[in-house]
Amino acid sequence: MYITNTTEDVRKLVEELETTSDLTKLKFLVYIFGLLNNNQINDKNESNPDLIEDDDMTMLNSEAIGLTTNACTILLQYFAMLYNGMTDSKDAYEDNGNILGINYNKKDKELASKFEKLNFNEKLDVFSEVIVRYDNETYFDERTLVVSLNSELSGFDIAHTIQKYKK
């Protein structure tokens, strides 16, 4: 199920993500929410857009999609706890909006690389799909407690807001 007409690259990435382990899916969540938290999802594909003086740049951030300013940090803290529970370790922790201590294997890096190669609209589509599946508790294969993204908005509402940023 896709919430929007999208490209083949997006479909392939989402389908590949669906066939991975829950741990790999969690690492992908950590990766994309880390990008969102650090304003790195933008239409110019800049890694540090806050330093660029470009008024025409469109950046996706938590406030833009209806989440609170600290929503990503809270989610990342939860994802770190979930990672530690899945791996029986205490290695992962959230520090200043980033998760440290996660071991990324080859598959994890491939998924992140494929996401990075997408254009802005495609990244928005992947993000929308992941949010809907996460919020509807269909993202993970195993029954996993998920922290709500927003008390008032559903995953579909957030995804619809994300889609408004498409150019």
Side-chain angles (χ1 to χ4, degrees):
M1 174 193 90
Y2 293 93
I3 60 169
T4 183
N5 288 332
T6 191
T7 66
E8 188 65 22
D9 289 338
V10 169
R11 275 196 269 310
K12 284 180 183 178
L13 179 58
V14 172
E15 288 170 4
E16 185 176 352
L17 189 59
E18 286 179 341
T19 64
T20 63
S21 70
D22 282 352
L23 185 58
T24 296
K25 290 175 185 175
L26 175 62
K27 291 175 188 178
F28 189 76
L29 277 177
V30 167
Y31 181 74
I32 64 173
F33 274 94
L35 292 176
L36 181 69
N37 194 47
N38 293 308
N39 296 327
Q40 292 177 329
I41 301 176
N42 59 77
D43 63 343
K44 305 284 188 212
N45 232 7
E46 293 290 338
S47 60
N48 200 348
D50 292 331
L51 298 179
I52 296 173
E53 297 177 17
D54 186 352
D55 293 337
D56 287 340
M57 184 181 298
T58 302
M59 265 190 280
L60 192 68
N61 57 41
S62 58
E63 299 88 21
I65 62 174
L67 301 177
T68 62
T69 55
N70 66 344
C72 282
T73 301
I74 292 167
L75 281 168
L76 290 171
Q77 289 170 346
Y78 169 70
F79 294 156
M81 289 186 331
L82 190 56
Y83 176 86
N84 289 336
M86 286 181 169
T87 60
D88 291 327
S89 72
K90 299 201 183 322
D91 297 336
Y93 61 95
E94 185 274 334
D95 181 34
N96 203 24
N98 297 298
I99 293 188
L100 305 174
I102 289 184
N103 181 20
Y104 289 95
N105 63 32
K106 183 178 178 183
K107 181 65 174 176
D108 306 329
K109 292 175 185 177
E110 286 175 6
L111 288 169
S113 176
K114 288 178 183 180
F115 182 79
E116 284 299 327
K117 291 176 184 172
L118 298 174
N119 68 40
F120 182 63
N121 287 345
E122 291 170 324
K123 287 178 182 177
L124 295 178
D125 287 345
V126 169
F127 212 91
S128 297
E129 289 296 327
V130 168
I131 282 180
V132 167
R133 292 162 197 241
Y134 174 82
D135 191 59
N136 288 328
E137 298 182 18
T138 59
Y139 185 72
F140 296 109
D141 295 328
E142 296 291 321
R143 183 87 175 124
T144 304
L145 176 68
V146 297
V147 171
S148 176
L149 298 168
N150 183 302
S151 61
E152 297 174 9
L153 300 174
S154 71
F156 285 107
D157 295 331
I158 296 168
H160 179 71
T161 303
I162 291 171
Q163 290 300 304
K164 291 179 183 178
Y165 281 84
K166 287 176 81 170
K167 292 187 174 206

